[in-house]
């Protein structure tokens, strides 16, 4: 069981659903005031805020395109105004479009580049400027960077870039007492992963891990909680949370 923090503030991008929502709710249970960032679905973000509030936590929803530096600057401003500062930024927002490299529509490549790379960069840039000493920045990669499944080329290219910028930012923040890490989930039962896959494909993914199941968003939220709180000696790392997937 985690030890609650006091007077700490977290901003979770993509916090209206999937891993982001569960991570936001977990951080709230850890004692953080939580800002739930959303791009287009305000209602879902407000549902997350309501769930946190009903459970006794503090939360607000903040909108904006993560790849738009002006929108993200305004979002960070709103969080600081509401809660007095920012200690943890968790960047779960991302998109995944699968196709062989030979046939991928380059417009889809550009979409993933804008959200997964530019968006992570913009949010990380704001976080680097604003996160208070003792804080943490957590980005999200994917275990497919290592497993290298066909059809994931463009997505993996975007997430490999996320890993690269994460590791460099950890070193650029020398002396600031801010950790910067990435979590790389394996197959996790979220709409992002399940969409477009038939039952047989999903079953094969579940069997691929020694634990013989898909991950749950809560499994990834546990790692986020660790990196956001007690893991002060873990820095500049990519943690693979995938049930032992090779």
């Amino acid at each position: 069981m985690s030890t609650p923090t006091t007077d700490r503030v977290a901003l979770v991008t993509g916090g209206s659903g999937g891993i982001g929502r569960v991570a936001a709710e977990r951080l709230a249970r850890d004692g953080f005031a939580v800002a739930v960032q959303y791009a287009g679905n305000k209602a879902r973000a407000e549902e997350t805020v309501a769930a946190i509030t009903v459970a006794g936590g503090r939360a607000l929803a903040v909108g904006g395109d993560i790849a738009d530096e002006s929108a993200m600057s305004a979002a960070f401003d709103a969080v600081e105004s509401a809660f007095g500062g920012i200690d943890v930024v968790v960047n779960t927002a991302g998109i995944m479009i699968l196709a062989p490299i030979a046939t991928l529509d380059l417009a889809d490549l550009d979409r993933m580049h804008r959200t997964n790379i530019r968006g992570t960069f913009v949010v990380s840039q704001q976080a680097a400027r604003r996160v208070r000493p003792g804080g943490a920045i957590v980005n999200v990669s994917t275990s497919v960077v290592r497993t290298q499944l066909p059809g994931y080329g463009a997505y993996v290219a975007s997430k490999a870039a996320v890993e690269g910028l994460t590791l460099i930012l950890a070193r650029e923040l020398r002396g600031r007492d801010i950790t910067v890490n990435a979590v790389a989930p394996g197959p996790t039962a979220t709409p992002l992963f399940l969409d477009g896959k038939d039952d047989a494909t999903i079953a094969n993914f579940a069997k691929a891990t020694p634990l013989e199941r898909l991950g749950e968003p809560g499994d990834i939220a546990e790692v986020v909680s660790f990196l956001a709180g007690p893991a002060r000696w873990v820095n500049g790392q990519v943690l693979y949370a995938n049930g032992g997937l090779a």
Side-chain angles (χ1 to χ4, degrees):
M1 183 174 180
S2 59
T3 301
T5 59
T6 57
D7 300 319
R8 301 196 76 205
V9 179
L11 167 62
V12 180
T13 73
S16 61
I19 290 170
R21 174 169 180 161
V22 178
E25 292 174 344
R26 173 54 196 263
L27 291 174
R29 291 198 301 274
D30 289 344
F32 285 85
V34 181
V36 178
Q37 183 275 339
Y38 65 93
N41 198 327
K42 183 178 181 180
R44 287 183 62 195
E46 289 180 339
E47 287 174 6
T48 306
V49 169
I52 290 170
T53 303
V54 166
R58 295 181 297 156
L60 83 160
V62 290
D65 176 0
I66 63 167
D68 182 326
E69 62 272 31
S70 296
M72 285 303 97
S73 179
F76 274 73
D77 285 345
V79 179
E80 290 175 335
S81 177
F83 295 135
I86 299 176
D87 300 285
V88 169
V89 173
V90 182
N91 202 12
T92 75
I95 61 174
M96 179 172 68
I97 302 169
L98 303 181
I101 293 170
T103 59
L104 180 78
D105 187 327
L106 292 179
D108 290 335
L109 175 67
D110 291 342
R111 286 178 58 205
M112 280 191 286
H113 183 285
R114 189 175 192 281
T115 298
N116 298 355
I117 302 178
R118 180 185 169 91
T120 299
F121 195 100
V122 167
V123 172
S124 295
Q125 185 177 68
Q126 288 293 325
R129 295 169 178 172
R130 305 198 195 213
V131 167
R132 296 185 287 203
I137 300 168
V138 183
N139 290 324
V140 176
S141 179
T142 173
S143 286
V144 191
V145 170
R146 188 162 67 186
T147 58
Q148 301 160 356
L149 294 174
Y152 284 76
Y155 180 66
V156 163
S158 72
K159 290 302 189 176
V162 167
E163 291 189 7
L165 74 89
T166 298
L167 304 188
I168 290 173
L169 182 58
R171 286 144 183 88
E172 290 182 346
L173 295 185
R174 173 182 291 273
R176 294 270 305 278
D177 190 23
I178 297 169
T179 63
V180 188
N181 295 287
V183 56
T188 304
T190 65
L192 182 70
F193 171 77
L194 297 172
D195 185 45
K197 295 181 176 69
D198 59 29
D199 289 345
T201 299
I202 293 169
N204 286 337
F205 272 108
K207 283 289 186 181
T209 71
L211 296 178
E212 295 190 334
R213 67 173 177 87
L214 295 179
E216 295 292 336
D219 296 320
I220 311 307
E222 289 286 339
V223 181
V224 170
S225 173
F226 174 63
L227 294 174
R232 299 309 302 165
W233 196 233
V234 180
N235 189 30
Q237 305 298 317
V238 180
L239 271 64
Y240 282 78
N242 60 22
L245 191 68

